[in-house]
Amino acid sequence: MAYFCLNASKIAVSFLANQSHSARFAAYRLASTAPSYQHIVVDKQGAKTNVGVITLNRPKALNALCDALMREVSDALDDLEKDKDVGAVIITGSEKAFAAGADIKEMQNNTFAGVYGGNFLSHWNRVAQCKKPVIAAVNGYALGGGCELAMMCDIILAGENARFGQPEIAIGTIPGAGGTQRLIRSIGKSKAMEMCLTGLPITAQEAEKLGLVSRVCAPKELVSEAVKMGEKIASHSKLIVAMCKESVNQAYETTLQEGLLFEKRTFHTTFATSDRKEGMTAFAEKRSPNFTDS
Ligand code: CAA
C-alpha cells in the first residue's frame, strides 16, 4: 500500500509541521522508505498532525480525475480511516484546479457495454462513504467530476478564485458522479437545473450565497483554514463525530420523520459511550474533556 506520509516517523512529522506545504511534501518523501502515489500526495498536518490531507497532484491535466487517481484517493481514505490519530480529512488540489472533471481523454472511446458492464465510476462513491469528516478545499476549477467530488465531501471551503460547474452537457453527456442529485439537494432545483443544462460555472461567491460552500477564503490561506477546521473537528471525540456525521447525512436519504427518529436514537446511543459521560462531566467540573474515542 502506497501510504508514504503516514508511515513517516513521528520525528519527521513534528519537524515538518513547521515547514511550508511544498517543503513538507519533499521532506516527507525523503523521510519515508514507502513508495509514493503517482497522482496524489498524502500527508498529515495540524499541530497534532491529526488532519489527513490528500492533495490531487496531476497538474498537467488540471487534476482530471483519471481512474488511477480516484483509486489512489480510495486507498488513501482507507488508510486515513484506519489511522486512529486522524480526526478529519481534507481533499484539495492546486491553486489553478481542484479538479477539471473526469478524464475526458480516458473516457473518449468507452462504450455503453463497457461502462454499464463495469459500473463505471461507481467506486468514486468511496469518498461519500468515509466515516471520518472530509473537507473539500477548492481553489480554481471544480468542474464536472471535480464539482461532484467536492460535493461528496461533508464541507466545502472555497478559495476566492474557485469555479464550480457541471459542463458535461457541452461534451454530449450528463453528470455521472452525483451532480444531478447532490447539486439539487444543495442549491435547489432551478439553479441546479441551470448549471446542468447550460454547463456554465458559478463563482465561489455565488456558491457561498447558494449554500454550496460554507466559506470563501483567500486562495493562499485555503488549505490552512481547512486544516484549522479539521483540527477543531479532530479535537472532539472521533466516535461521537462519526455518529453526528451519520445523523446529518440521514437528512439526504430519508423523510423528516425517519430522520428525526434516526437522530433521536443516535443521540440516545451517545449515552452508551464514555465520551458522552466525560464531555458532560468535564463541563460540570469546568475543565477540558479528555476524550478516548470510546
Ligand atoms: N479531462 C482530461 N484532460 C483535461 C480535462 C479533463 N476533464 N480538463 C483539462 N484537461 C487537460 C487539457 O486537455 C490540457 O491538456 P493538454 O495540455 O495535453 O492539451 C490541460 O488539461 C490544460 O487544459 P486547457 O489547456 O484546456 O486549460 P485552460 O486553462 O485553457 O482551460 C478548462 C481550463 C476550462 C478547465 C478546460 O480545460 C476544460 O473545459 N476542461 C474540461 C472540463 C469538463 O468538461 N469537465 C467535465 C468532464 S466529464 C465528467 O466529469 C463526467 C462526470 O460527471 C464524472
Side-chain angles (χ1 to χ4, degrees):
M1 174 66 61
Y3 190 37
F4 70 99
C5 288
L6 300 189
N7 290 334
S9 73
K10 290 272 183 212
I11 295 166
V13 164
S14 63
F15 162 72
L16 291 166
N18 296 323
Q19 309 303 305
S20 73
H21 204 55
S22 53
R24 253 195 319 267
F25 290 164
Y28 267 122
R29 285 198 185 95
L30 291 174
S32 171
T33 52
S36 64
Y37 290 110
Q38 193 185 344
H39 301 300
I40 63 173
V41 178
V42 184
D43 68 340
K44 292 204 288 186
Q45 296 187 31
K48 295 184 177 167
T49 55
N50 57 0
V51 179
V53 181
I54 299 174
T55 304
L56 311 180
N57 187 32
R58 221 189 145 206
K60 285 188 183 147
L62 300 180
N63 292 332
L65 304 167
C66 61
D67 190 62
L69 184 152
M70 286 307 292
R71 289 193 190 279
E72 289 184 0
V73 169
S74 289
D75 288 348
L77 284 173
D78 287 347
D79 284 336
L80 290 166
E81 213 156 43
K82 275 185 225 138
D83 187 323
K84 288 191 167 43
D85 294 334
V86 170
V89 177
I90 291 163
I91 300 182
T92 192
S94 68
E95 265 191 48
K96 179 155 189 201
F98 177 72
D103 191 314
I104 300 170
K105 293 166 192 167
E106 196 175 72
M107 287 187 291
Q108 189 182 354
N109 296 317
N110 284 356
T111 61
F112 167 71
V115 295
Y116 182 76
N119 207 2
F120 182 53
L121 299 189
S122 57
H123 69 95
W124 285 29
N125 214 31
R126 171 69 184 89
V127 179
Q129 286 161 351
C130 186
K131 281 197 157 188
K132 294 185 179 178
V134 184
I135 302 167
V138 176
N139 265 325
Y141 298 114
L143 301 179
C147 186
E148 292 168 308
L149 174 62
M151 288 192 290
M152 283 179 207
C153 301
D154 302 304
I155 299 168
I156 306 177
L157 296 187
E160 285 153 355
N161 63 351
R163 294 286 177 276
F164 296 85
Q166 298 291 161
E168 290 89 343
I169 200 82
I171 54 166
T173 185
I174 72 165
T180 64
Q181 303 302 302
R182 291 199 173 96
L183 204 51
I184 205 164
R185 283 165 169 78
S186 178
I187 64 174
K189 178 175 170 182
S190 185
K191 198 69 197 177
M193 203 61 105
E194 182 185 333
M195 286 176 69
C196 291
L197 297 185
T198 66
L200 295 174
I202 58 171
T203 62
Q205 294 72 19
E206 284 174 285
E208 184 184 30
K209 207 167 68 187
L210 292 163
L212 179 63
V213 314
S214 70
R215 204 195 311 158
V216 178
C217 316
K220 294 222 179 302
E221 284 156 25
L222 177 70
V223 174
S224 60
E225 285 299 314
V227 170
K228 263 191 236 161
M229 185 182 279
E231 285 182 287
K232 184 68 193 166
I233 293 169
S235 73
H236 304 311
S237 160
K238 295 181 187 64
L239 179 65
I240 306 295
V241 164
M243 291 166 84
C244 189
K245 167 171 169 166
E246 197 176 11
S247 190
V248 174
N249 274 333
Q250 280 300 307
Y252 268 116
E253 312 288 347
T254 60
T255 63
L256 178 61
Q257 285 312 314
E258 285 166 342
L260 289 171
L261 180 61
F262 184 92
E263 180 198 74
K264 192 71 79 244
R265 292 292 175 253
T266 307
F267 169 67
H268 293 160
T269 306
T270 64
F271 284 77
T273 68
S274 303
D275 284 344
R276 193 282 315 165
K277 177 86 174 163
E278 168 62 9
M280 293 190 183
T281 304
F283 175 82
E285 292 176 356
K286 300 187 187 302
R287 62 174 174 82
S288 299
N290 181 21
F291 292 127
T292 54
D293 305 323
S294 59

